Structure formats: C-alpha cells, structure tokens
Amino acid sequence: MQQVYSQQDTANLNIINEEIDNYLHITQKNNFVTGLDFGMGIGLRNENINIESATAIVDFTISPKVGYYFKQGFSTGFDFDYFASVASFDYQNEYQFLLQSYNIFFKYQSPKGFAAEIASGYGTGKEKYINNGSEENNEFGGYRYSIAAGLSSYWSKNVSFELMLKYTGSQASYETVEESFYLNGLSLNAGITVNIF
C-alpha cells in the first residue's frame, strides 16, 4: 500500500514540475505570444437600462491579442476587442450595443497559476433601439477599460489556457448630440495563448 501511495505522489510531483516548466518556458523574458479570448456575462447600462426594467441583459466579447513578455511572468501587448450587449424588454422592444476598441493590456502570471490583467483602449460603435416597431440608431466613440483575475493552466511549453473573471467599463459620447453614457458589466472569460517565439 505504501508503494502505491509513493507512486501516486511521484506522479503528482511530475505533473506539478511539468506545469512549472511549461510556465517558465511560455512566460520567459523576450517571448512573443498570440491569443484569443471569449467571454460572456451580465451588463448594466446607466439610468436608461437596468436590471429592474430589462428581462435580459447579455454581454459577450471576442478579443484576439498579441503580447510580449518584458520580464518573467509579466507581459504587455495589444488586443482588438469586439464587445456587444443585448437587452430584451419584451417581444417588441430591444436594445443593442456594439463597441470595437483597440486596447493596451498588462498581465501578470504566477507559477502557481494565478493571473491578473488590466486593459484600456478607445474605439467606436453603435447602438440600436427597437421600440414598438420603430428603430433608432446612434453612433458613438468611447473609452473602454477592464480589470480581470483568474487562473492559468500551462498545457505545454507553447500553449496555455486561462479562465478569468473580468469587470469591464465603457464610457462613450454620441457623435450627433452632446451626451455621454456608461456601460459596465461582469463576465467570465476563457482564452487560449500560444507562444510564437
């Protein structure tokens, strides 16, 4: 029985050592990586749209990115973020929000799998109101920022997977009228990162 336990402990130790080796290889200084994140969550529009008046407010985001490790475990880079939010009020009324932004991000990853990231950028978008059959479209420019924390798993020396809880805020101003608005939300994001060289 003791031999079985010893074999299990050795196998677990080998898995941990392999994970750390993969971490050290992927996140080493001067490495370039690329990746793709996908997230879904709940969003809130300031006083115009909120949880009490909407039956569903769903956010989703797709974000390809390129990063550079300037220090072991510390990276920075750029991403293109396609963010959408849809609110349905009843069978006839609907609100859609789309924002495409270019962002700079900074990320930290630890050997034990903890990961944290902050990002900020600027983009353009549009929103659509559907109210009793009539449709209104508005275009805007806006800032976007996010704070995220979660876990990284290093599958190989060149591929890692992340699962992160992200808080996102957007502030935008309409192009045709002097009015601004806010949109913020919480989402669960999954992402794959691949070591380029």
Side-chain angles (χ1 to χ4, degrees):
M1 185 67 78
Q2 185 174 359
Q3 184 177 0
V4 172
Y5 285 139
S6 178
Q7 289 174 348
Q8 290 177 344
D9 291 342
T10 301
N12 290 336
L13 186 60
N14 288 338
I15 292 172
I16 293 172
N17 288 337
E18 183 179 357
E19 183 93 356
I20 292 175
D21 286 343
N22 292 341
Y23 162 82
L24 292 173
H25 187 270
I26 293 174
T27 66
Q28 67 181 330
K29 184 178 179 180
N30 295 328
N31 269 9
F32 285 87
V33 293
T34 186
L36 181 66
D37 292 348
F38 175 79
M40 292 192 70
I42 298 295
L44 292 174
R45 170 76 186 267
N46 56 354
E47 59 274 350
N48 295 332
I49 296 176
N50 53 57
I51 278 288
E52 288 79 18
S53 64
T55 56
I57 302 178
V58 179
D59 294 346
F60 71 90
T61 180
I62 299 174
S63 179
K65 60 177 58 179
V66 176
Y68 169 74
Y69 285 93
F70 58 91
K71 185 179 179 181
Q72 183 79 58
F74 292 85
S75 63
T76 185
F78 299 93
D79 70 53
F80 171 76
D81 195 270
Y82 180 85
F83 173 79
S85 182
V86 178
S88 176
F89 301 97
D90 53 37
Y91 294 109
Q92 294 181 329
N93 300 332
E94 186 176 309
Y95 171 75
Q96 299 176 8
F97 175 94
L98 302 174
L99 174 63
Q100 301 174 67
S101 62
Y102 296 90
N103 309 287
I104 299 174
F105 70 85
F106 292 92
K107 181 188 290 185
Y108 168 71
Q109 296 162 271
S110 78
K112 294 184 178 181
F114 172 76
E117 180 182 289
I118 59 172
S120 180
Y122 182 83
T124 59
K126 61 181 180 180
E127 64 177 4
K128 178 194 294 185
Y129 289 98
I130 301 175
N131 186 9
N132 296 322
S134 64
E135 184 177 309
E136 178 184 346
N137 293 280
N138 298 304
E139 295 184 352
F140 58 82
Y143 294 95
R144 179 168 162 78
Y145 66 90
S146 64
I147 303 171
L151 298 173
S152 294
S153 177
Y154 304 96
W155 291 350
S156 72
K157 291 186 180 298
N158 294 309
V159 180
S160 66
F161 172 79
E162 290 180 351
L163 195 62
M164 304 184 81
L165 190 64
K166 178 181 286 189
Y167 173 81
T168 303
S170 302
Q171 177 180 357
S173 299
Y174 294 111
E175 293 183 356
T176 55
V177 295
E178 293 186 5
E179 183 181 346
S180 61
F181 61 89
Y182 302 91
L183 186 74
N184 54 57
L186 197 62
S187 63
L188 186 63
N189 287 56
I192 295 283
T193 300
V194 178
N195 186 19
I196 302 174
F197 56 85

